[in-house]
Amino acid sequence: MTASLHLTHTPAPSPRSIATRMRAHDGAAAAKQAALEEELAARYPLYKRVVEETSDGLVVLDRNAVITFCNPAAAVMFSSTCDDLVGREFGFPLGTLNEPTQVEIFTGGKPSFVEMLATAISWHDQDASLIVLRDVTARREAETLIQMQSRALEASINGIFITDKSGIMLWSNQALAEMSGYAVDEMTGQSIDIFKSGKHAENFYADIWLHLLAGDAWKGRIINRRKDGSLYTAEQTVTPILDATGRLSHFVAIQEDISERLKTQGELVRLAEFDTLTGLPNRHVFMERLQAAIERAQRADAMVAVMMLDIDNFKTINNTLGHSVGDALLVAVSDKIGAIMRTTDTLAHLGGDEFGLVLENVKDMAAASRMMRKILDSFHRSLTIDGHVVEVTASIGIAAYPKDDTEAQALMRQAELAMYQAKAGGRDAFRYFDREMDADIRRRVKLEADLRRAVEGNQLWLAYQPQMDLASNRIVGAEALIRWNHPERGLVSPGEFIPIAEASGLILPIGDWIIEEICRQYQIWQAVGLPALRLGFNVSGVQFRQKNLAHHVTSTLNKAGLSASDLDIEITETVAMERSGRVQENVDLLTAAGVSMSVDDFGTGYSSLSNLQAFPVCRLKVDASFVRGIGQSRDDEKIVEAVIRLGQSLGLTLVAEGVETPEQLQFLRDRGCDEIQGYFISKPLPPEQFRAFTAGFTGPPL
């Protein structure tokens, strides 16, 4: 097959046709140019305004680097005027086109730093350069300060590291690398647990976390493990860092290696094995001695009793009288117990307010019971510490080898479970371990895990119980009550899960959520025209002891655009009695912001009149247990009358809880009670039902 190429001849255009096309082309170009000029003229005021008002300096240079144009921002940078600058040589090297460069300008007696970007342009049909100038003095000063701080941290002889809120290391300095044996990049991304030495009990670390999560710095002595397995003792300070919203975001830790300061190996051993406060063996030594006692009992076919003792209400004593009194109390308790025990027994301070006891050669558990009774009786004699008369009791749990278990760790756990049962049974008692305790604690641990998932999985909600003013018969407020719909168990009683939340620290995120949810719901009710209400909610002592409670309440109110008078914080009498610095600080800040406070369940606690007068309370809530006795128990009626008279004499608003009958309502109204809540008015309602109820409320049922 052959291919052929065909060429087509196209006749050349005539001169006349060429001229015609050129005239048409010129006309189109002229029209396009005219349209462009019109558009530029229309947009010129906008361009002019942008150029004049931008904070960036704009300068146009001709081919000889003479300024032919500048905007006001450029004139300010050079401490001059545009008229003065135009026609002068620019004087600064332009650098590489389209690449920023920094220059230093001395104007007004001080230097400033300007970032300069040169771009080639056409200006009035001539080659020119557009110079964009940006003042970066503040940014450069900030960068310089950060560099200086970074160099200072790197140059520190103390080990420094920064972690996220879960304890993962994000940054560390060279001093920490030399101290720990880990390279800096080896530590980045690792948990601080890599430093754990095994010389501290888990509750030692738990206590550190408790301080930090409450917003407090922790400072103390800690034994750490290096990469090669050797130990070093450090004085460590850990400081929590809050982000712009006031939430915990990071921790900064500083370690000083004090191993060389501990003069002799004997002192190092003592610090590692004995409690520095009481001089008693610590948990590590206690477990070694318990194991040795078990081995001796095994050979001799004997019994060993293992006990854990916890001082009742120690935290309240610490918070009320101060940590120095608390420390002195621990020393006094160790002396008191030590005086009772035999020389063959072991007493150890396990940490916090917990003590461990090992009784060897126990013939039967009756002998252990007699020892426990002696110890508990010794607590019934009051102690005088730093001028304070302190009344304390203790709770003790007991497990026995070989009846309950043959392993030291298992026996300790069982003694601890028994101790918790002693506390749950009313304190000032001892309990023996039994298998049902174990099952009960397992249920409690599972419920805590479920509660943690409930907080994260939006299983919690609020019900609102209306509060009626007895003078006007109007709904004037409500108490917000937390509810938990468990995916398997259904509705879980707050009385069951709130103590777990307080013990585990979950009460803090739950408390934050309650405040935010109340504000969110109140915004909705206001938007649909519901009358102004006062919403009350309970705040536990755990929340009052956290650093940012007042800040979180006020900032949440501000974000929601609500008044502080819309909220009423309900506290127990125990919180009202607590005069610790953190509680008082939160109370003062909240009261200054205008948030009112009520004492809930008044009459069931043990607050004194002086405490009630000193605390800025606006309302007293008469406990439902007394209100239910109206018409049935004259003693309950007398208590209700006394509480109402007390509140009236102090100028407080009286709110009666648990009102269920018209007779109770009339009794309270006759005696001058101000407000009531209870099933006679309404049960706690979901938000939408509460809105409908309040909107249609015309008075109590007849």
Side-chain angles (χ1 to χ4, degrees):
M1 179 181 294
T2 60
S4 61
L5 180 65
H6 298 277
L7 300 176
T8 304
H9 175 69
T10 303
S14 67
R16 177 177 295 176
S17 66
I18 292 173
T20 302
R21 291 178 185 175
M22 289 179 65
R23 285 195 298 275
H25 180 271
D26 291 344
K32 185 176 181 180
Q33 179 68 23
L36 179 61
E37 289 175 355
E38 283 184 13
E39 184 179 357
L40 288 173
R43 294 188 180 183
Y44 175 75
L46 176 61
Y47 295 149
K48 183 172 183 291
R49 184 174 178 183
V50 170
V51 168
E52 289 180 347
E53 294 187 6
T54 180
S55 61
D56 289 341
L58 300 176
V59 175
V60 177
L61 308 180
D62 65 15
R63 66 182 63 185
N64 297 317
V66 173
I67 299 173
T68 62
F69 170 83
C70 78
N71 71 342
V76 170
M77 288 182 186
F78 292 106
S79 297
S80 185
T81 64
C82 291
D83 291 340
D84 184 54
L85 291 173
V86 171
R88 295 171 57 181
E89 289 188 8
F90 186 58
F92 291 99
L94 301 185
T96 306
L97 287 178
N98 300 316
E99 289 187 10
T101 183
Q102 283 194 12
V103 296
E104 188 174 8
I105 300 175
F106 284 87
T107 55
K110 64 177 183 179
S112 60
F113 296 90
V114 174
E115 191 176 79
M116 184 172 66
L117 181 68
T119 306
I121 63 169
S122 176
W123 180 264
H124 296 297
D125 297 326
Q126 299 290 325
D127 291 338
S129 299
L130 172 65
I131 312 300
V132 180
L133 305 165
R134 178 165 293 171
D135 191 337
V136 294
T137 305
R139 186 182 76 191
R140 182 170 175 134
E141 289 175 350
E143 290 172 350
T144 301
L145 180 60
I146 291 172
Q147 289 174 357
M148 291 172 61
Q149 292 171 338
S150 178
R151 288 172 185 164
L153 292 174
E154 283 290 355
S156 173
I157 61 172
N158 291 329
I160 303 173
F161 61 92
I162 300 172
T163 77
D164 65 15
K165 62 182 180 182
S166 61
I168 301 300
M169 286 188 285
L170 306 176
W171 179 90
S172 57
N173 67 352
Q174 187 58 35
L176 183 67
E178 295 171 0
M179 190 183 301
S180 67
Y182 291 95
V184 168
D185 57 355
E186 284 183 298
M187 291 185 283
T188 303
Q190 293 291 322
S191 168
I192 54 175
D193 288 348
I194 64 172
F195 300 131
K196 278 190 174 181
S197 63
K199 295 296 183 181
H200 298 291
E202 280 305 314
N203 59 359
F204 171 84
Y205 298 104
D207 184 62
I208 295 176
W209 278 107
L210 191 64
H211 276 79
L212 297 177
L213 293 177
D216 297 328
W218 180 88
K219 183 175 182 180
R221 184 172 291 184
I222 188 168
I223 301 173
N224 285 335
R225 187 178 299 277
R226 297 187 179 91
K227 182 181 179 181
D228 62 6
S230 61
L231 304 180
Y232 67 98
T233 304
E235 289 283 0
Q236 179 167 290
T237 301
V238 187
T239 304
I241 304 298
L242 306 181
D243 62 19
T245 66
R247 294 182 180 275
L248 183 66
S249 62
H250 296 83
F251 299 104
V252 176
I254 303 175
Q255 287 188 0
E256 179 187 4
D257 188 344
I258 60 169
S259 300
E260 294 301 320
R261 243 194 278 158
L262 304 175
K263 299 297 184 181
T264 65
Q265 186 63 31
E267 187 176 1
L268 284 169
V269 172
R270 186 181 64 80
L271 288 172
E273 297 186 349
F274 289 85
D275 176 55
T276 55
L277 177 65
T278 63
L280 294 175
N282 62 17
R283 183 181 291 264
H284 176 72
V285 175
F286 180 78
M287 294 305 296
E288 288 182 344
R289 294 189 182 180
L290 173 58
Q291 183 60 42
I294 289 172
E295 292 170 0
R296 286 191 291 270
Q298 188 176 24
R299 291 191 296 269
D301 194 22
M303 291 179 62
V304 175
V306 182
M307 293 159 234
M308 182 176 286
L309 180 148
D310 185 271
I311 301 174
D312 297 329
N313 298 315
F314 180 75
K315 185 178 292 186
T316 301
I317 295 170
N318 237 354
N319 292 333
T320 306
L321 302 180
H323 289 277
S324 61
V325 173
D327 288 347
L329 175 60
L330 292 174
V331 174
V333 166
S334 66
D335 293 342
K336 185 186 290 281
I337 300 172
I340 297 172
M341 297 186 67
R342 303 171 302 176
T343 55
T344 55
D345 301 329
T346 294
L347 171 65
H349 184 206
L350 305 180
D353 59 334
E354 291 182 348
F355 293 84
L357 298 86
V358 175
L359 303 185
E360 294 194 60
N361 301 317
V362 178
K363 294 182 179 179
D364 54 46
M365 295 313 292
S369 296
R370 287 192 294 272
M371 175 66 79
M372 293 307 98
R373 180 53 58 196
K374 284 183 182 179
I375 292 174
L376 292 179
D377 287 346
S378 73
F379 275 83
H380 295 162
R381 294 187 289 275
S382 60
L383 296 167
T384 301
I385 299 176
D386 292 347
H388 300 279
V389 177
V390 182
E391 304 282 350
V392 292
T393 58
S395 299
I396 306 173
I398 311 171
Y401 167 90
K403 179 179 76 72
D404 296 318
D405 213 294
T406 57
E407 298 293 329
Q409 289 288 356
L411 288 168
M412 277 296 290
R413 179 176 171 276
Q414 291 164 352
E416 185 174 22
L417 294 179
M419 181 267 290
Y420 286 135
Q421 285 293 321
K423 281 189 174 296
R427 299 185 170 93
D428 190 21
F430 63 87
R431 292 286 185 275
Y432 288 102
F433 170 77
D434 63 52
R435 295 295 165 187
E436 289 185 4
M437 289 182 186
D438 195 29
D440 181 61
I441 294 298
R442 288 180 187 275
R443 285 192 296 270
R444 183 183 179 91
V445 169
K446 183 180 185 306
L447 193 61
E448 179 181 331
D450 290 347
L451 181 58
R452 196 174 298 277
R453 285 190 289 270
V455 174
E456 299 166 354
N458 299 319
Q459 296 173 16
L460 304 176
W461 57 282
L462 294 179
Y464 298 86
Q465 186 167 38
Q467 295 171 332
M468 188 191 80
D469 177 71
L470 284 172
S472 64
N473 286 342
R474 291 188 306 106
I475 301 300
V476 293
E479 180 179 1
L481 301 164
I482 191 166
R483 297 291 184 261
W484 177 15
N485 278 334
H486 192 284
E488 298 170 1
R489 296 179 50 185
L491 203 62
V492 181
S493 165
E496 185 176 0
F497 71 81
I498 288 298
I500 293 175
E502 291 182 332
S504 65
L506 286 172
I507 194 66
L508 298 179
I510 289 174
D512 289 348
W513 173 81
I514 289 174
I515 295 165
E516 293 162 7
E517 178 63 14
I518 287 175
C519 290
R520 184 194 70 82
Q521 187 60 59
Y522 196 36
Q523 280 183 300
I524 295 173
W525 286 338
Q526 284 189 325
V528 297
L530 208 64
L533 299 168
R534 180 189 57 252
L535 298 180
F537 59 99
N538 196 275
V539 177
S540 75
V542 177
Q543 292 170 267
F544 258 101
R545 286 188 287 273
Q546 68 168 321
K547 186 174 183 179
N548 62 343
L549 172 65
H551 171 76
H552 184 69
V553 172
T554 54
S555 64
T556 304
L557 279 168
N558 291 336
K559 288 176 186 175
L562 302 180
S563 168
S565 59
D566 296 329
L567 290 188
D568 181 70
I569 290 180
E570 299 182 7
I571 58 174
T572 63
E573 292 181 71
T574 306
V575 175
M577 282 189 66
E578 189 171 329
R579 315 304 293 176
S580 67
R582 182 58 48 75
V583 171
Q584 192 64 53
E585 178 186 351
N586 276 315
V587 168
D588 292 343
L589 291 172
L590 287 168
T591 348
V595 178
S596 68
M597 292 191 192
S598 301
V599 174
D600 195 18
D601 301 335
F602 186 77
T604 61
Y606 47 88
S607 63
S608 66
L609 183 60
S610 61
N611 271 304
L612 191 59
Q613 288 176 308
F615 211 80
V617 176
C618 298
R619 291 146 51 95
L620 289 184
K621 300 193 74 177
V622 186
D623 186 61
S625 63
F626 302 127
V627 174
R628 278 194 293 269
I630 293 174
Q632 301 177 24
S633 167
R634 185 54 191 151
D635 288 341
D636 286 344
E637 290 179 349
K638 288 179 180 178
I639 292 174
V640 172
E641 290 172 340
V643 171
I644 291 175
R645 286 196 299 271
L646 173 63
Q648 290 170 339
S649 67
L650 295 175
L652 305 178
T653 300
L654 274 301
V655 184
E657 299 178 296
V659 177
E660 298 179 352
T661 67
E663 291 78 18
Q664 292 169 353
L665 182 151
Q666 193 59 47
F667 179 93
L668 293 164
R669 175 175 277 154
D670 291 344
R671 283 149 184 82
C673 184
D674 300 296
E675 299 172 14
I676 63 169
Q677 72 180 79
Y679 275 53
F680 185 66
I681 302 301
S682 171
K683 65 180 181 180
L685 300 169
E688 184 54 33
Q689 292 182 26
F690 175 83
R691 183 202 63 77
F693 174 86
T694 304
F697 185 75
T698 57
L702 299 176

